[in-house]
Structure formats: C-alpha cells, structure tokens
Coordinates of all heavy atoms in Angstrom, one line a residue:
A1 N 99.3 -179.2 10.0 CA 100.5 -178.7 9.2 C 101.5 -178.2 10.2 O 101.3 -177.7 11.2 CB 99.9 -177.4 8.5
Y2 N 102.7 -178.4 9.8 CA 103.8 -178.2 10.7 C 104.6 -176.9 10.3 O 105.0 -176.9 9.1 CB 104.7 -179.4 10.9 CG 105.9 -179.2 11.8 CD1 105.6 -179.2 13.2 CD2 107.2 -179.2 11.5 CE1 106.6 -179.1 14.3 CE2 108.2 -179.1 12.5 CZ 107.9 -179.0 13.7 OH 108.8 -178.9 14.7
D3 N 104.9 -176.1 11.3 CA 105.8 -174.9 11.2 C 107.2 -175.2 11.8 O 107.3 -175.2 13.0 CB 105.1 -173.7 11.8 CG 106.0 -172.5 11.8 OD1 107.2 -172.6 11.4 OD2 105.6 -171.4 12.3
P4 N 108.2 -175.6 11.0 CA 109.4 -176.1 11.7 C 110.2 -174.9 12.3 O 111.0 -175.1 13.2 CB 110.3 -176.7 10.4 CG 109.6 -176.1 9.2 CD 108.2 -175.8 9.6
Q5 N 110.0 -173.7 11.8 CA 110.7 -172.5 12.3 C 110.3 -172.4 13.8 O 111.1 -172.1 14.7 CB 110.5 -171.3 11.7 CG 111.1 -170.0 12.1 CD 110.8 -168.7 11.2 OE1 110.6 -169.0 10.0 NE2 110.8 -167.6 11.8
E6 N 109.0 -172.3 14.1 CA 108.5 -172.0 15.4 C 108.2 -173.3 16.1 O 107.8 -173.3 17.4 CB 107.0 -171.2 15.4 CG 107.3 -169.9 14.8 CD 108.2 -168.9 15.6 OE1 108.1 -169.1 16.7 OE2 108.9 -168.2 14.9
R7 N 108.4 -174.5 15.4 CA 108.2 -175.8 16.1 C 106.7 -175.9 16.7 O 106.4 -176.2 17.8 CB 109.2 -176.1 17.2 CG 110.5 -176.3 16.7 CD 111.6 -176.7 17.7 NE 111.2 -178.0 18.2 CZ 111.4 -178.4 19.4 NH1 111.9 -177.6 20.4 NH2 111.1 -179.7 19.8
R8 N 105.8 -175.6 15.7 CA 104.3 -175.7 16.1 C 103.6 -176.5 15.1 O 103.8 -176.6 13.8 CB 103.7 -174.3 16.0 CG 104.2 -173.4 17.1 CD 103.6 -172.0 16.8 NE 104.1 -171.1 17.9 CZ 104.0 -169.8 17.7 NH1 103.6 -169.2 16.7 NH2 104.4 -169.1 18.8
L9 N 102.6 -177.3 15.6 CA 101.8 -178.1 14.7 C 100.4 -177.6 14.8 O 99.8 -177.3 15.9 CB 101.8 -179.6 15.2 CG 100.9 -180.6 14.5 CD1 101.5 -180.7 13.1 CD2 100.9 -181.9 15.3
Y10 N 99.7 -177.4 13.6 CA 98.5 -176.7 13.6 C 97.4 -177.9 13.1 O 97.7 -178.6 12.2 CB 98.4 -175.6 12.6 CG 99.1 -174.4 13.0 CD1 100.5 -174.3 12.7 CD2 98.6 -173.5 13.7 CE1 101.2 -173.1 13.2 CE2 99.3 -172.2 14.1 CZ 100.6 -172.2 13.9 OH 101.3 -171.0 14.3
L11 N 96.2 -177.8 13.7 CA 95.1 -178.8 13.3 C 94.0 -177.9 13.1 O 93.6 -177.0 13.9 CB 94.9 -179.7 14.5 CG 93.7 -180.6 14.5 CD1 93.9 -181.6 13.4 CD2 93.4 -181.2 15.9
F12 N 93.2 -178.0 12.0 CA 92.0 -177.4 11.6 C 90.9 -178.5 11.4 O 91.1 -179.3 10.6 CB 92.1 -176.5 10.5 CG 90.8 -175.9 10.0 CD1 90.3 -174.9 10.7 CD2 90.1 -176.5 9.0 CE1 89.0 -174.4 10.4 CE2 88.9 -176.1 8.6 CZ 88.2 -174.9 9.3
G13 N 89.8 -178.2 11.9 CA 88.5 -179.0 11.7 C 88.6 -180.6 11.9 O 89.5 -181.0 12.7
G14 N 88.0 -181.4 11.1 CA 87.9 -182.8 11.2 C 86.6 -183.2 11.9 O 85.7 -182.5 11.9
T15 N 86.5 -184.4 12.4 CA 85.3 -184.9 12.9 C 85.6 -185.4 14.3 O 86.6 -186.1 14.6 CB 84.8 -186.1 12.1 OG1 84.6 -185.7 10.8 CG2 83.4 -186.7 12.6
D16 N 84.7 -185.1 15.2 CA 84.8 -185.5 16.7 C 83.5 -186.2 17.0 O 82.7 -186.4 16.1 CB 85.3 -184.6 17.7 CG 84.3 -183.3 17.9 OD1 83.0 -183.5 17.3 OD2 84.7 -182.3 18.4
N17 N 83.2 -186.5 18.3 CA 82.1 -187.2 18.7 C 80.7 -186.4 18.4 O 79.7 -187.0 18.4 CB 82.0 -187.5 20.2 CG 83.2 -188.6 20.5 OD1 83.5 -189.4 19.7 ND2 83.7 -188.5 21.8
S18 N 80.9 -185.2 18.2 CA 79.7 -184.3 18.0 C 79.4 -184.0 16.5 O 78.5 -183.4 16.2 CB 79.6 -183.0 18.9 OG 80.8 -182.3 18.4
G19 N 80.4 -184.4 15.6 CA 80.3 -184.2 14.2 C 81.5 -183.5 13.7 O 82.5 -183.5 14.3
D20 N 81.3 -182.8 12.5 CA 82.4 -182.1 11.9 C 82.6 -180.7 12.6 O 81.7 -180.2 13.3 CB 82.0 -181.7 10.4 CG 81.9 -183.0 9.6 OD1 82.8 -183.8 9.7 OD2 81.1 -183.1 8.6
T21 N 83.9 -180.3 12.6 CA 84.3 -179.2 13.3 C 84.9 -178.1 12.4 O 85.5 -178.5 11.3 CB 85.3 -179.6 14.6 OG1 86.4 -179.9 14.0 CG2 84.6 -180.5 15.4
N22 N 85.0 -176.9 12.9 CA 85.8 -176.0 12.1 C 86.8 -175.1 13.2 O 87.1 -174.0 13.0 CB 85.0 -175.0 11.3 CG 84.2 -174.1 12.2 OD1 84.0 -174.3 13.5 ND2 83.7 -173.0 11.6
D23 N 87.3 -175.9 14.2 CA 88.0 -175.2 15.1 C 89.5 -175.3 14.8 O 90.0 -176.2 13.9 CB 87.9 -175.8 16.5 CG 88.0 -177.4 16.6 OD1 88.0 -178.0 15.5 OD2 87.9 -178.0 17.7
L24 N 90.3 -174.3 15.2 CA 91.8 -174.3 14.9 C 92.6 -174.5 16.2 O 92.3 -173.7 17.1 CB 92.0 -172.9 14.2 CG 93.4 -172.6 13.8 CD1 93.9 -173.7 12.8 CD2 93.5 -171.3 13.2
W25 N 93.5 -175.3 16.2 CA 94.4 -175.6 17.4 C 95.9 -175.4 16.9 O 96.2 -175.8 15.8 CB 94.1 -176.9 18.0 CG 92.8 -177.1 18.5 CD1 91.6 -177.4 17.9 CD2 92.5 -177.0 20.0 NE1 90.6 -177.5 18.7 CE2 91.1 -177.3 20.1 CE3 93.2 -176.9 21.1 CZ2 90.5 -177.4 21.3 CZ3 92.6 -177.0 22.3 CH2 91.2 -177.2 22.4
V26 N 96.8 -175.2 18.0 CA 98.1 -175.1 17.8 C 98.7 -175.9 18.8 O 98.3 -175.8 20.1 CB 98.8 -173.7 17.6 CG1 98.6 -172.9 18.9 CG2 100.3 -173.8 17.2
Y27 N 99.7 -176.9 18.5 CA 100.5 -177.6 19.5 C 101.9 -177.0 19.5 O 102.6 -176.9 18.5 CB 100.5 -179.1 19.2 CG 101.4 -179.9 20.0 CD1 101.0 -180.2 21.3 CD2 102.6 -180.3 19.6 CE1 101.8 -181.1 22.1 CE2 103.4 -181.1 20.4 CZ 103.0 -181.5 21.8 OH 103.8 -182.3 22.5
E28 N 102.3 -176.6 20.7 CA 103.7 -176.1 21.0 C 104.5 -177.2 21.4 O 104.3 -177.7 22.4 CB 103.7 -175.0 22.0 CG 102.7 -173.8 21.7 CD 103.4 -172.8 20.8 OE1 104.6 -172.9 20.6 OE2 102.7 -171.8 20.3
V29 N 105.5 -177.6 20.4 CA 106.4 -178.8 20.8 C 107.2 -178.4 22.1 O 107.4 -179.3 22.9 CB 107.3 -179.0 19.6 CG1 108.3 -180.1 19.9 CG2 106.4 -179.4 18.3
A30 N 107.8 -177.2 22.1 CA 108.6 -176.9 23.2 C 108.0 -177.0 24.6 O 108.5 -177.5 25.6 CB 109.2 -175.4 23.1
S31 N 106.7 -176.6 24.7 CA 106.0 -176.6 25.9 C 105.1 -177.8 26.2 O 104.4 -178.0 27.2 CB 105.2 -175.3 26.2 OG 104.2 -175.2 25.1
D32 N 104.9 -178.6 25.0 CA 104.1 -179.8 25.0 C 102.6 -179.4 25.5 O 102.0 -180.0 26.3 CB 104.6 -180.8 26.0 CG 103.9 -182.2 26.0 OD1 103.3 -182.5 24.9 OD2 103.9 -182.9 27.0
A33 N 102.1 -178.3 24.7 CA 100.8 -177.8 25.2 C 100.0 -177.4 23.9 O 100.5 -176.9 22.9 CB 101.0 -176.6 26.0
W34 N 98.6 -177.8 24.0 CA 97.7 -177.4 23.0 C 97.0 -176.2 23.4 O 96.7 -176.1 24.5 CB 96.7 -178.5 22.8 CG 97.1 -179.7 22.1 CD1 97.6 -181.0 22.6 CD2 97.1 -179.9 20.6 NE1 97.8 -181.9 21.6 CE2 97.6 -181.2 20.4 CE3 96.7 -179.1 19.6 CZ2 97.7 -181.8 19.1 CZ3 96.9 -179.6 18.2 CH2 97.3 -180.9 18.0
T35 N 96.7 -175.3 22.3 CA 96.0 -174.1 22.6 C 94.9 -173.9 21.5 O 95.4 -174.1 20.2 CB 96.8 -172.9 22.6 OG1 97.8 -172.9 23.5 CG2 96.1 -171.6 22.8
R36 N 93.7 -173.7 21.9 CA 92.6 -173.4 20.8 C 92.9 -172.0 20.5 O 92.8 -171.0 21.3 CB 91.3 -173.7 21.4 CG 90.3 -173.5 20.3 CD 88.8 -173.9 20.6 NE 87.9 -173.7 19.5 CZ 86.8 -174.2 19.5 NH1 86.3 -174.9 20.4 NH2 86.0 -174.0 18.4
L37 N 92.9 -171.7 19.0 CA 93.1 -170.4 18.4 C 91.6 -169.9 18.2 O 90.8 -170.6 17.8 CB 93.9 -170.3 17.2 CG 95.3 -170.8 17.5 CD1 96.1 -170.9 16.2 CD2 96.0 -170.0 18.6
N38 N 91.5 -168.6 18.3 CA 90.1 -167.9 18.0 C 90.4 -166.8 17.0 O 90.4 -165.7 17.3 CB 89.5 -167.4 19.3 CG 89.1 -168.5 20.2 OD1 88.2 -169.3 19.8 ND2 89.6 -168.5 21.4
P39 N 90.5 -167.1 15.7 CA 91.0 -166.1 14.7 C 89.7 -165.1 14.4 O 88.7 -165.4 14.6 CB 91.2 -166.9 13.5 CG 91.0 -168.3 13.7 CD 90.5 -168.5 15.2
N40 N 90.2 -164.0 14.0 CA 89.3 -163.0 13.5 C 88.9 -163.3 12.1 O 89.6 -163.9 11.4 CB 89.9 -161.5 13.5 CG 90.3 -161.2 15.0 OD1 89.6 -161.3 15.9 ND2 91.6 -160.8 15.2
G41 N 87.7 -162.9 11.7 CA 87.2 -163.0 10.3 C 86.1 -164.2 10.3 O 86.1 -165.0 11.3
A42 N 85.5 -164.3 9.2 CA 84.6 -165.4 9.0 C 85.3 -166.7 8.9 O 86.5 -166.8 8.3 CB 83.7 -165.2 7.7
A43 N 84.7 -167.7 9.5 CA 85.5 -169.1 9.5 C 84.9 -170.0 8.4 O 83.8 -169.8 8.0 CB 85.3 -169.8 10.9
P44 N 85.7 -170.8 7.9 CA 85.1 -171.8 6.9 C 84.2 -172.8 7.6 O 84.2 -173.0 8.8 CB 86.4 -172.7 6.5 CG 87.6 -172.0 6.9 CD 87.1 -171.1 8.2
R45 N 83.2 -173.3 6.7 CA 82.2 -174.2 7.4 C 83.0 -175.4 7.9 O 84.0 -175.8 7.5 CB 81.3 -174.6 6.3 CG 80.4 -173.5 5.9 CD 79.3 -173.9 4.9 NE 78.7 -175.1 5.1 CZ 78.1 -175.8 4.2 NH1 77.9 -175.4 3.0 NH2 77.5 -177.0 4.5
A46 N 82.5 -176.1 8.9 CA 83.0 -177.2 9.6 C 83.1 -178.3 8.4 O 82.4 -178.4 7.5 CB 82.0 -177.7 10.6
R47 N 84.2 -179.2 8.6 CA 84.6 -180.1 7.5 C 85.6 -181.1 8.0 O 86.2 -181.0 9.0 CB 85.1 -179.4 6.3 CG 86.4 -178.7 6.5 CD 86.9 -177.7 5.5 NE 86.0 -176.6 5.3 CZ 85.8 -176.0 4.2 NH1 86.5 -176.3 3.2 NH2 85.0 -174.9 4.1
H48 N 85.7 -182.2 7.1 CA 86.6 -183.2 7.3 C 87.1 -183.6 5.9 O 86.5 -183.2 4.9 CB 86.2 -184.5 8.1 CG 85.1 -185.2 7.4 ND1 83.8 -184.9 7.4 CD2 85.3 -186.2 6.6 CE1 83.1 -185.8 6.7 NE2 83.9 -186.6 6.2
G49 N 88.2 -184.2 5.8 CA 88.7 -184.8 4.5 C 89.3 -183.7 3.7 O 89.6 -183.9 2.5
H50 N 89.7 -182.5 4.3 CA 90.3 -181.5 3.7 C 91.9 -181.6 3.8 O 92.4 -182.5 4.4 CB 89.8 -180.1 4.3 CG 90.1 -180.1 5.7 ND1 89.4 -180.7 6.6 CD2 91.1 -179.5 6.5 CE1 89.9 -180.6 7.9 NE2 90.9 -179.8 7.8
T51 N 92.6 -180.6 3.2 CA 94.0 -180.5 3.4 C 94.3 -179.2 4.1 O 93.6 -178.2 4.0 CB 94.8 -180.6 2.2 OG1 94.5 -179.5 1.3 CG2 94.8 -181.9 1.5
L52 N 95.3 -179.2 5.0 CA 95.8 -178.1 5.6 C 97.3 -178.1 5.4 O 98.0 -179.0 5.8 CB 95.5 -178.2 7.2 CG 96.1 -177.0 8.0 CD1 95.3 -175.7 7.6 CD2 95.8 -177.3 9.6
N53 N 97.7 -176.9 4.8 CA 99.1 -176.8 4.3 C 99.7 -175.6 5.0 O 99.0 -174.6 5.2 CB 99.2 -176.6 2.8 CG 98.7 -177.8 2.1 OD1 99.3 -178.9 2.2 ND2 97.5 -177.7 1.5
F54 N 101.0 -175.7 5.2 CA 101.7 -174.4 5.8 C 102.6 -173.8 4.8 O 103.4 -174.4 4.0 CB 102.6 -174.9 6.9 CG 103.6 -173.9 7.5 CD1 103.0 -172.8 8.1 CD2 104.9 -173.8 7.3 CE1 103.8 -171.7 8.7 CE2 105.7 -172.8 8.0 CZ 105.2 -171.7 8.5
D55 N 102.4 -172.4 4.5 CA 103.1 -171.6 3.6 C 104.2 -170.9 4.3 O 103.9 -169.9 5.1 CB 102.3 -170.6 2.9 CG 103.0 -169.7 1.9 OD1 104.2 -169.7 2.0 OD2 102.2 -169.1 1.2
P56 N 105.4 -171.3 4.4 CA 106.5 -170.9 5.2 C 106.9 -169.4 4.7 O 107.3 -168.5 5.5 CB 107.7 -171.8 5.0 CG 107.5 -172.4 3.8 CD 106.0 -172.5 3.5
V57 N 106.7 -169.0 3.5 CA 107.0 -167.6 3.0 C 106.1 -166.6 3.5 O 106.6 -165.6 4.1 CB 107.1 -167.6 1.4 CG1 107.3 -166.3 1.0 CG2 108.2 -168.6 1.0
R58 N 104.8 -166.9 3.4 CA 103.8 -166.0 3.8 C 103.4 -166.2 5.2 O 102.7 -165.4 5.8 CB 102.5 -166.0 2.9 CG 102.8 -165.5 1.5 CD 101.5 -165.6 0.6 NE 101.8 -165.2 -0.7 CZ 102.3 -165.9 -1.6 NH1 102.8 -167.1 -1.4 NH2 102.6 -165.4 -2.8
R59 N 103.9 -167.2 5.9 CA 103.5 -167.6 7.2 C 102.0 -167.7 7.4 O 101.5 -167.1 8.2 CB 104.2 -166.7 8.3 CG 105.7 -166.5 8.0 CD 106.6 -166.7 9.2 NE 106.1 -167.3 10.5 CZ 106.4 -168.6 10.7 NH1 106.9 -169.4 9.9 NH2 105.9 -169.1 11.9
Q60 N 101.4 -168.5 6.6 CA 100.0 -168.8 6.5 C 99.7 -170.2 6.5 O 100.4 -171.1 5.9 CB 99.4 -168.1 5.3 CG 99.4 -166.6 5.2 CD 98.7 -166.1 4.1 OE1 98.4 -166.7 3.2 NE2 98.5 -164.8 4.1
L61 N 98.6 -170.6 6.8 CA 97.9 -172.0 6.7 C 97.0 -171.9 5.6 O 96.2 -170.9 5.4 CB 97.3 -172.4 8.1 CG 98.2 -172.5 9.2 CD1 97.2 -172.9 10.4 CD2 99.3 -173.5 9.1
L62 N 96.8 -172.8 4.8 CA 95.8 -172.9 3.8 C 95.0 -174.1 4.0 O 95.5 -175.3 4.0 CB 96.5 -173.0 2.4 CG 97.4 -171.8 2.0 CD1 98.2 -172.1 0.7 CD2 96.5 -170.6 1.8
V63 N 93.7 -173.9 4.1 CA 92.6 -174.9 4.1 C 92.1 -175.1 2.7 O 91.5 -174.2 2.1 CB 91.5 -174.6 5.2 CG1 90.4 -175.6 5.1 CG2 92.1 -174.3 6.5
V64 N 92.1 -176.4 2.3 CA 91.6 -176.6 1.0 C 90.5 -177.7 0.9 O 90.8 -178.9 1.4 CB 92.8 -177.1 -0.1 CG1 92.2 -177.3 -1.5 CG2 93.9 -176.0 0.0
A65 N 89.3 -177.3 0.4 CA 88.2 -178.3 0.1 C 87.8 -179.0 1.3 O 87.9 -178.6 2.5 CB 88.6 -179.2 -1.1
G66 N 87.3 -180.3 1.1 CA 86.9 -181.2 2.1 C 85.4 -181.4 2.1 O 84.8 -181.2 1.0
Q67 N 84.8 -182.0 3.0 CA 83.3 -182.4 3.0 C 82.7 -182.3 4.4 O 83.3 -182.3 5.4 CB 83.0 -183.7 2.5 CG 83.2 -184.8 3.4 CD 82.6 -186.1 2.8 OE1 83.5 -187.0 2.5 NE2 81.4 -186.3 2.9
A68 N 81.3 -182.0 4.4 CA 80.5 -182.2 5.5 C 79.3 -182.8 5.0 O 79.2 -184.0 4.5 CB 80.3 -180.8 6.1
S69 N 78.1 -182.0 5.0 CA 76.9 -182.5 4.4 C 76.9 -182.5 2.9 O 76.3 -183.0 2.1 CB 75.7 -181.8 4.8 OG 75.8 -180.5 4.5
S70 N 77.9 -181.7 2.3 CA 78.3 -181.7 0.9 C 79.7 -181.5 0.7 O 80.5 -181.4 1.8 CB 77.5 -180.5 0.2 OG 78.0 -179.3 0.9
L71 N 80.2 -181.6 -0.6 CA 81.6 -181.4 -0.9 C 82.0 -180.0 -1.0 O 81.1 -179.1 -1.3 CB 82.0 -182.2 -2.2 CG 81.8 -183.7 -2.1 CD1 82.1 -184.2 -3.5 CD2 82.6 -184.3 -1.0
F72 N 83.3 -179.5 -0.6 CA 83.6 -178.2 -0.9 C 84.8 -178.2 -1.9 O 85.6 -179.1 -2.0 CB 84.2 -177.6 0.5 CG 83.2 -177.6 1.7 CD1 83.4 -178.6 2.7 CD2 82.1 -176.8 1.7 CE1 82.5 -178.5 3.8 CE2 81.3 -176.7 2.7 CZ 81.3 -177.6 3.7
G73 N 85.0 -177.0 -2.5 CA 86.1 -176.9 -3.3 C 86.8 -175.4 -3.0 O 87.4 -174.9 -3.9
D74 N 86.6 -174.9 -1.9 CA 87.0 -173.6 -1.5 C 88.4 -173.6 -0.9 O 89.0 -174.6 -0.8 CB 86.1 -172.9 -0.6 CG 85.9 -173.8 0.7 OD1 86.3 -174.9 0.8 OD2 85.1 -173.4 1.6
V75 N 89.0 -172.4 -0.8 CA 90.3 -172.3 -0.3 C 90.3 -171.1 0.7 O 89.7 -170.0 0.5 CB 91.3 -171.9 -1.3 CG1 92.8 -171.7 -0.7 CG2 91.4 -173.0 -2.4
W76 N 90.8 -171.3 1.9 CA 90.9 -170.5 3.0 C 92.4 -170.2 3.4 O 93.2 -171.1 3.5 CB 90.0 -170.8 4.1 CG 88.6 -170.9 3.9 CD1 88.0 -171.7 3.3 CD2 87.6 -169.9 4.3 NE1 86.6 -171.4 3.1 CE2 86.4 -170.2 3.8 CE3 87.8 -168.7 5.0 CZ2 85.3 -169.5 4.0 CZ3 86.6 -167.9 5.3 CH2 85.4 -168.3 4.7
S77 N 92.7 -169.1 3.9 CA 94.1 -168.8 4.5 C 93.8 -168.3 6.0 O 92.9 -167.5 6.3 CB 94.8 -167.7 3.7 OG 94.3 -166.5 3.9
Y78 N 94.9 -168.6 6.7 CA 95.0 -168.2 8.1 C 96.4 -167.5 8.3 O 97.3 -168.2 8.0 CB 94.8 -169.5 9.2 CG 95.1 -169.0 10.5 CD1 94.3 -168.2 11.2 CD2 96.3 -169.3 11.1 CE1 94.6 -167.8 12.5 CE2 96.6 -169.1 12.5 CZ 95.8 -168.1 13.2 OH 96.0 -167.7 14.5
D79 N 96.2 -166.2 8.5 CA 97.4 -165.5 8.8 C 97.8 -165.7 10.2 O 97.2 -165.2 11.1 CB 97.2 -163.9 8.3 CG 98.5 -163.2 8.4 OD1 99.2 -163.2 9.4 OD2 98.8 -162.6 7.3
I80 N 99.0 -166.3 10.4 CA 99.5 -166.6 11.8 C 99.8 -165.4 12.6 O 99.3 -165.1 13.7 CB 100.7 -167.5 11.8 CG1 100.3 -168.9 11.2 CG2 101.3 -167.7 13.1 CD1 101.5 -169.8 10.8
A81 N 100.5 -164.4 12.0 CA 100.8 -163.1 12.7 C 99.7 -162.3 13.1 O 99.6 -161.7 14.1 CB 101.9 -162.3 11.9
R82 N 98.7 -162.3 12.2 CA 97.5 -161.4 12.3 C 96.3 -162.1 12.9 O 95.4 -161.5 13.3 CB 97.1 -160.8 11.0 CG 98.0 -159.8 10.4 CD 97.5 -159.2 9.2 NE 98.4 -158.2 8.6 CZ 99.1 -158.4 7.5 NH1 98.9 -159.5 6.7 NH2 99.9 -157.4 7.1
N83 N 96.4 -163.4 13.1 CA 95.3 -164.3 13.7 C 94.1 -164.0 13.0 O 92.9 -163.8 13.5 CB 95.1 -163.9 15.2 CG 94.2 -164.9 15.8 OD1 94.3 -166.1 15.6 ND2 93.5 -164.5 16.8
T84 N 94.1 -164.0 11.7 CA 92.9 -163.8 10.8 C 92.7 -164.8 9.7 O 93.6 -165.4 9.3 CB 93.0 -162.4 10.0 OG1 94.1 -162.4 9.2 CG2 93.1 -161.3 11.0
L85 N 91.4 -165.2 9.5 CA 91.0 -166.1 8.4 C 90.4 -165.3 7.2 O 89.8 -164.3 7.5 CB 89.8 -167.1 9.0 CG 90.4 -168.2 9.7 CD1 89.3 -168.8 10.6 CD2 91.0 -169.3 8.9
Q86 N 90.7 -165.8 6.1 CA 90.1 -165.1 5.0 C 89.8 -166.1 3.8 O 90.8 -166.9 3.5 CB 91.2 -164.1 4.4 CG 90.9 -163.5 3.2 CD 91.9 -162.5 2.8 OE1 92.5 -161.8 3.5 NE2 92.3 -162.5 1.4
Q87 N 88.8 -166.0 3.2 CA 88.5 -167.0 2.0 C 89.2 -166.5 0.8 O 89.1 -165.2 0.4 CB 87.0 -167.1 1.7 CG 86.7 -168.0 0.7 CD 85.0 -168.2 0.5 OE1 84.3 -167.4 0.9 NE2 84.8 -169.4 -0.1
L88 N 90.0 -167.3 0.1 CA 90.7 -166.8 -1.0 C 89.9 -167.3 -2.3 O 90.1 -166.6 -3.3 CB 92.1 -167.6 -1.1 CG 93.0 -167.3 0.1 CD1 94.3 -168.0 0.0 CD2 93.2 -165.8 0.2
A89 N 89.2 -168.4 -2.2 CA 88.6 -169.0 -3.4 C 87.2 -169.6 -3.0 O 87.2 -170.3 -2.0 CB 89.4 -169.9 -4.3
A90 N 86.2 -169.3 -3.6 CA 84.9 -169.8 -3.3 C 84.7 -171.3 -4.0 O 85.5 -171.6 -5.0 CB 83.8 -169.0 -3.8
N91 N 83.8 -172.0 -3.6 CA 83.5 -173.3 -4.3 C 83.2 -173.0 -5.9 O 82.7 -172.0 -6.3 CB 82.1 -173.8 -3.8 CG 82.5 -174.5 -2.4 OD1 83.5 -174.8 -2.0 ND2 81.3 -174.6 -1.6
R92 N 83.6 -174.0 -6.5 CA 83.3 -174.1 -8.0 C 84.2 -173.0 -8.7 O 83.7 -172.6 -9.8 CB 81.9 -174.0 -8.3 CG 81.2 -175.3 -7.7 CD 79.7 -175.3 -8.0 NE 79.2 -176.3 -7.1 CZ 78.9 -176.2 -5.8 NH1 79.2 -175.1 -5.2 NH2 78.3 -177.2 -5.1
T93 N 85.2 -172.4 -8.2 CA 86.0 -171.4 -9.0 C 87.3 -172.0 -9.5 O 88.1 -171.4 -10.1 CB 86.4 -170.2 -8.1 OG1 87.0 -170.7 -6.9 CG2 85.1 -169.4 -7.7
G94 N 87.5 -173.3 -9.2 CA 88.7 -174.0 -9.6 C 88.4 -175.5 -9.9 O 87.4 -175.8 -10.5
P95 N 89.2 -176.4 -9.3 CA 88.9 -177.8 -9.4 C 87.5 -178.2 -8.9 O 87.0 -177.4 -8.0 CB 90.1 -178.5 -8.6 CG 91.1 -177.5 -8.6 CD 90.4 -176.2 -8.6
S96 N 87.0 -179.3 -9.3 CA 85.7 -179.6 -8.7 C 85.8 -179.9 -7.2 O 86.9 -180.2 -6.7 CB 85.1 -180.9 -9.4 OG 86.1 -181.9 -9.2
D97 N 84.6 -179.7 -6.5 CA 84.5 -180.0 -5.1 C 85.1 -181.4 -4.8 O 84.8 -182.3 -5.6 CB 83.1 -179.8 -4.6 CG 82.6 -178.5 -4.9 OD1 83.4 -177.5 -5.3 OD2 81.3 -178.2 -4.6
R98 N 85.8 -181.5 -3.6 CA 86.4 -182.9 -3.4 C 86.8 -183.0 -1.9 O 86.9 -182.0 -1.2 CB 87.6 -183.1 -4.3 CG 88.8 -182.1 -4.0 CD 89.9 -182.1 -5.1 NE 89.2 -181.8 -6.4 CZ 89.7 -182.3 -7.6 NH1 90.6 -183.1 -7.6 NH2 89.1 -181.8 -8.6
Y99 N 87.2 -184.2 -1.5 CA 87.6 -184.5 -0.1 C 88.6 -185.6 -0.4 O 88.6 -186.4 -1.3 CB 86.5 -184.7 0.8 CG 85.9 -186.1 0.7 CD1 86.3 -187.2 1.6 CD2 85.0 -186.5 -0.3 CE1 85.8 -188.5 1.4 CE2 84.5 -187.7 -0.4 CZ 84.9 -188.7 0.5 OH 84.5 -190.0 0.3
G100 N 89.4 -185.8 0.7 CA 90.2 -187.0 0.8 C 91.5 -186.9 -0.3 O 92.2 -187.9 -0.5
H101 N 91.7 -185.7 -0.7 CA 92.8 -185.5 -1.6 C 94.2 -185.2 -0.9 O 94.1 -185.2 0.4 CB 92.5 -184.3 -2.5 CG 92.2 -183.1 -1.7 ND1 90.9 -182.9 -1.2 CD2 92.9 -182.0 -1.3 CE1 90.9 -181.8 -0.5 NE2 92.1 -181.1 -0.5
S102 N 95.2 -185.1 -1.6 CA 96.5 -184.8 -0.9 C 97.3 -183.9 -1.8 O 97.0 -183.7 -2.9 CB 97.3 -186.0 -0.6 OG 97.6 -186.7 -1.8

C-alpha cells in the first residue's frame, strides 16, 4: 500500500521461503531503504492472498482477509502515527472468508 504524502510503500505478510508471514515493512522512497516495523498490539495471523489498503484520511493501513492453513475474513488496522495494530472485525462477521480478492 502506498502513502503518496510521505512517499512510503508498506508491505504486510505474504509467503517467503519459510512459509506465510505476518511481518510489516516500510520502504522509504527518498532514502531507498526498507525498515521492518514492530507495531504494538496483537498481530494478525500470518497470511497471503490478502489485501493491504492505505486510508489517507485516518492515516491507517487496512489488512483484509487472506489465507494460510485456512481462509480468513477478518479486518485489521495499523495506525501509522501510533505504531499500533488492532483487529476491527473478526472472521465471519461480514463477507465470507476469502483470499485473492481485490
């Protein structure tokens, strides 16, 4: 998810050589550097096939659904200024669990 105001690109989760991840990274365009973030609060389960969206009004990232050993239908927010993660919606409280959506 891209923040055009700060010129930062955020990356959450995905799959690497060890399996699914739930790490959060930021790429600073100006300095051409990646930094791993360590937010406060409970983290979403590791996943891939989710969406990560940037909310420019609230200055938050939103992680939606995805999959690992099962499908997810949850929603999480990351508050950039506070460096905190928070679950907004649990599985099965909205659309059915899914991955690969847009």
Side-chain angles (χ1 to χ4, degrees):
Y2 186 64
D3 175 356
Q5 179 181 331
E6 299 295 326
R7 297 186 62 218
R8 295 179 178 157
L9 178 66
Y10 291 90
L11 172 73
F12 173 81
T15 301
D16 65 14
N17 291 335
S18 62
D20 292 323
T21 67
N22 68 344
D23 49 355
L24 179 61
W25 291 82
V26 62
Y27 175 74
E28 302 276 350
V29 174
S31 62
D32 187 27
W34 283 98
T35 302
R36 184 172 181 170
L37 302 174
N38 294 301
N40 298 311
R45 287 181 49 197
R47 65 191 63 206
H48 67 275
H50 56 284
T51 58
L52 179 65
N53 300 289
F54 175 65
D55 176 348
V57 174
R58 292 179 181 84
R59 307 233 11 101
Q60 295 181 350
L61 302 175
L62 297 169
V63 176
V64 181
Q67 85 169 101
S69 59
S70 62
L71 297 178
F72 301 112
D74 52 357
V75 179
W76 291 78
S77 71
Y78 171 70
D79 186 301
I80 295 169
R82 292 187 178 111
N83 190 39
T84 57
L85 277 162
Q86 173 183 323
Q87 187 173 21
L88 301 179
N91 284 338
R92 297 172 194 83
T93 58
S96 59
D97 301 350
R98 63 193 63 213
Y99 77 102
H101 53 282
S102 63

